[in-house]
Amino acid sequence: MVENFSIDNWTKTQEEVWRTVLKYTNLIIEGKIDEFLKYLHEDYTGWNNVEPLPADKLSIINELKNKSKHNLKRKYILIPIKLNIHRDLAIVHYYLRKESDGDGNYSNFIIKHYTDVLINSNSRWLLIADHFGIQKINNKNDILEEF
């Protein structure tokens, strides 16, 4: 389950966009890919810091459906960093981090930093582009204090 961190002084539109990000992230984590697709714009493109080329909608659907078969449900925390609205576009920067295992083990601890771009289409916010990078943390002392 994704936890929400409150941000002071956000507009109603920013709050709506952030709720949308939380909603579709939860759907991915829960393996509900068909429901997630309702939040994915037809012209979606995304890129991470590992792949040589950006992904299109079909390739991300295939990747997510393959991952959901492995039941990767874990507890994650999303930490909003910046959220800007420009007319019908929203740019959302945030961290996603996996909670430690129950024993406090931080080996293989991973922080992902995301930028999601959403477009308001027919009064709905849809993910049209994203980018993320991964930072592996080898021990608890390397974790950023803000987390």
Side-chain angles (χ1 to χ4, degrees):
M1 185 58 69
V2 175
E3 293 182 19
N4 188 5
F5 282 74
S6 63
I7 301 295
D8 295 333
N9 302 320
W10 270 8
T11 67
K12 288 185 181 196
T13 304
Q14 287 173 306
E15 291 173 356
E16 178 185 359
V17 168
W18 185 243
R19 282 191 305 272
T20 301
V21 171
L22 292 173
K23 177 67 176 173
Y24 64 65
T25 302
N26 266 327
L27 291 172
I28 293 169
I29 291 169
E30 293 170 359
K32 297 177 180 177
I33 306 309
D34 290 333
E35 290 180 50
F36 162 73
L37 295 179
K38 296 174 187 173
Y39 293 90
L40 198 62
H41 192 275
E42 191 61 36
D43 296 325
Y44 166 84
T45 185
W47 203 358
N48 64 41
N49 66 341
V50 178
E51 299 298 328
L53 297 171
D56 60 10
K57 184 175 180 178
L58 182 59
S59 61
I60 198 68
I61 291 169
N62 290 335
E63 180 182 341
L64 290 172
K65 286 189 175 189
N66 184 45
K67 284 183 179 180
S68 70
K69 291 177 185 177
H70 301 295
N71 193 18
L72 298 176
K73 294 180 188 174
R74 294 187 172 99
K75 184 174 180 182
Y76 290 88
I77 294 178
L78 271 67
I79 302 164
I81 304 301
K82 190 159 187 151
L83 197 161
N84 290 333
I85 307 292
H86 303 279
R87 295 189 184 112
D88 288 339
L89 284 179
I91 301 168
V92 186
H93 300 287
Y94 61 96
Y95 289 111
L96 180 146
R97 76 172 174 124
K98 177 184 175 259
E99 282 288 88
S100 67
D101 298 329
D103 61 359
N105 180 4
Y106 282 86
S107 61
N108 300 323
F109 184 82
I110 294 177
I111 297 172
K112 295 181 180 182
H113 51 278
Y114 279 81
T115 297
D116 288 1
V117 179
L118 293 85
I119 188 167
N120 193 320
S121 177
N122 298 320
S123 299
R124 293 191 60 224
W125 289 100
L126 303 174
L127 180 64
I128 192 166
D130 66 356
H131 180 272
F132 72 90
I134 300 171
Q135 177 183 357
K136 185 174 179 180
I137 305 297
N138 293 320
N139 66 61
K140 188 175 180 178
N141 294 330
D142 290 340
I143 298 172
L144 299 174
E145 291 300 319
E146 303 92 81
F147 295 145

